[in-house]
Amino acid sequence: MKTKISGVELRRIAMPLVAPFRTSFGVETSRDVLLVRVVTADHEGWAECGAMSEPRYSSEYVACAQHVLRKFLIPALPKDGLDVHAVGRVLQPFTGHRMAKSALETAVLDAQLRSADESFGSYLGAARDRVPCGVSVGIMDSVPELLDAVERYIAEGYVRIKLKIEPGWDFGPVRAVRERFGDDLLLQVDANAAYTLSDARHLAGLDDFGLQLIEQPLANDDMVQHAELAKLLRTPICLDESIKSAADAAAAISLGACSVINIKPGRVGGYLEARRIHDLARAHGVPVWCGGMLETGIGRAANVALAALPGFTLPGDTSGSGRYFATDITEPFVLSDGHLEVPTGPGLGIEPLPDVLNEVTTSSEWVAM
């Protein structure tokens, strides 16, 4: 079914975080979020761009994504309408900018599914009506502060804890969490590319803590060295920033660079490519899980639907809304017994709350087709 678009709104919103979130890239205290709203004759579709305010996690950043959408990507869409599967083909001539492309494709898909009265989960192939949730815990000022945070998240029901690590903040925090909460806690670490292969012996020491995985220990453009590191560790290596497409996933699996993959739809160019990576990994017996980019309810709704696919066998970073925001722009996602419900309404199954959205909006522009 073709969707004829009359125009696209690019809306920036400012979302304060309930607490600073620190990784090896830096500290975030608020989210500058770009929302994309595609308007058709009958419906509108929403999406959230995963880009951050600065080009640290990836080369993309919010202002850049807005610019490339306005100047190149939106004008490239055909005026007589398109099916969501055509979006990737239309945008393919433009190199990179996967997060911007993902936002546009997702908004088109949301509008199309609303017209068809079909949910995101149904369309993607969800196999569950709720998904188990983990939580990502940032780098703290002290180990006691970290232990208090982990204790709070466990009390809230999160079934897996992920600790951000970097040189100087790795063994002490991991050991303290394992000693306080025991061997049964599902625990993993995320280095965000903070180490090099010369740290292999040091990283091998993490094998003693029974971790589910170590995520992206080395540079995002170095699969060969990840493959070398994998030979030296018992702890499974999970790739995040290194995987930008199904082709990257195939290369990583072939090289032995990882045995787990974190799928972030924005990073790989959208939910259709995310599903391709899921299918490839599942065919090779490689478990996947859904990563997060501190999304509002718009992005979280789509991520929860994706995480319900059968190959997502590990809890993802699909935390409840309250993990990051005191007030979300949609009805909040609330953890129940460590799980979030997969929305079942048409499209994303969730919409922004107009009053809240207006309060947090910092700018809006309309791009007519």
Side-chain angles (χ1 to χ4, degrees):
M1 179 182 67
K2 283 195 172 185
T3 300
K4 189 171 182 179
I5 300 169
S6 58
V8 180
E9 180 190 16
L10 302 176
R11 181 185 288 250
R12 295 272 284 275
I13 63 173
M15 298 290 291
L17 298 175
V18 294
F21 188 72
R22 179 183 166 193
T23 71
S24 60
F25 293 130
V27 181
E28 286 202 79
T29 57
S30 65
R31 287 279 284 119
D32 176 12
V33 181
L34 174 63
L35 299 178
V36 176
R37 180 173 67 101
V38 163
V39 179
T40 71
D42 304 312
H43 293 276
E44 60 182 30
W46 287 89
E48 177 173 342
C49 181
M52 301 299 208
S53 58
E54 297 180 354
R56 296 180 182 273
Y57 172 79
S58 78
S59 61
E60 290 186 76
Y61 58 98
V62 180
C64 171
Q66 183 172 356
H67 173 77
V68 79
L69 279 160
R70 178 201 314 116
K71 186 169 178 62
F72 299 107
L73 304 187
I74 296 171
L77 299 179
K79 302 294 188 291
D80 59 347
L82 76 167
D83 179 273
V84 68
H85 291 281
V87 176
R89 295 194 297 273
V90 170
L91 302 184
Q92 192 276 332
F94 301 102
T95 301
H97 299 285
R98 290 179 176 85
M99 292 183 178
K101 290 177 179 178
S102 172
L104 187 54
E105 180 184 85
T106 303
V108 171
L109 178 56
D110 186 34
Q112 182 174 311
L113 292 178
R114 289 178 191 274
S115 296
D117 196 31
E118 183 178 6
S119 72
F120 241 72
S122 173
Y123 178 83
L124 292 175
R128 300 183 293 272
D129 57 10
R130 63 181 199 147
V131 299
C133 298
V135 65
S136 181
V137 186
I139 295 167
M140 303 283 186
D141 290 332
S142 68
V143 169
E145 182 184 1
L146 173 69
L147 293 175
D148 288 344
V150 171
E151 185 171 40
R152 182 170 66 252
Y153 293 133
I154 292 174
E156 290 175 9
Y158 286 102
V159 300
R160 183 271 285 154
I161 299 294
K162 181 173 84 173
L163 305 179
K164 295 287 187 176
I165 61 171
E166 65 181 2
W169 181 268
D170 43 31
F171 278 86
V174 172
R175 180 182 293 107
V177 169
R178 189 53 95 195
E179 289 177 352
R180 167 75 73 87
F181 301 104
D183 294 337
D184 291 337
L185 175 67
L186 295 181
L187 183 63
Q188 61 192 56
V189 296
D190 181 7
N192 289 118
Y195 297 85
T196 67
L197 190 58
S198 63
D199 297 311
R201 181 174 296 181
H202 177 76
L203 291 171
L206 293 170
D207 288 341
D208 295 337
F209 299 110
L211 302 175
Q212 272 194 315
L213 54 88
I214 177 171
E215 183 179 351
Q216 198 67 45
L218 311 180
N220 61 0
D221 59 354
D222 211 336
M223 288 192 194
V224 172
Q225 292 201 351
H226 274 104
E228 289 301 311
L229 181 63
K231 298 173 185 176
L232 305 174
L233 304 185
R234 296 195 308 274
T235 304
I237 290 179
C238 170
L239 290 182
D240 172 1
E241 292 95 325
S242 293
I243 308 298
K244 298 181 178 67
S245 66
D248 286 344
I253 293 169
S254 297
L255 287 168
C258 67
S259 52
V260 185
I261 294 174
N262 169 0
I263 300 179
K264 290 179 179 172
R267 188 192 70 234
V268 304
Y271 288 85
L272 301 186
E273 187 71 3
R275 185 171 61 181
R276 294 183 194 107
I277 295 172
H278 161 274
D279 293 347
L280 171 75
R282 192 179 182 208
H284 286 82
V286 173
V288 299
W289 54 280
C290 185
M293 296 292 290
L294 285 66
E295 290 91 350
T296 70
I298 294 295
R300 197 166 306 281
N303 283 356
V304 169
L306 179 71
L309 269 63
F312 285 83
T313 55
L314 300 178
D317 287 339
T318 48
S319 306
S321 297
R323 163 67 181 92
Y324 299 113
F325 309 113
T327 303
D328 207 339
I329 61 169
T330 66
E331 291 294 339
F333 282 84
V334 179
L335 214 62
S336 175
D337 190 29
H339 291 68
L340 290 181
E341 299 291 327
V342 179
T344 57
L348 293 174
I350 198 164
E351 297 179 4
L353 301 170
D355 291 344
V356 177
L357 184 62
N358 289 335
E359 284 182 14
V360 298
T361 294
T362 57
S363 68
S364 175
E365 63 173 312
W366 176 255
V367 183
M369 294 291 291

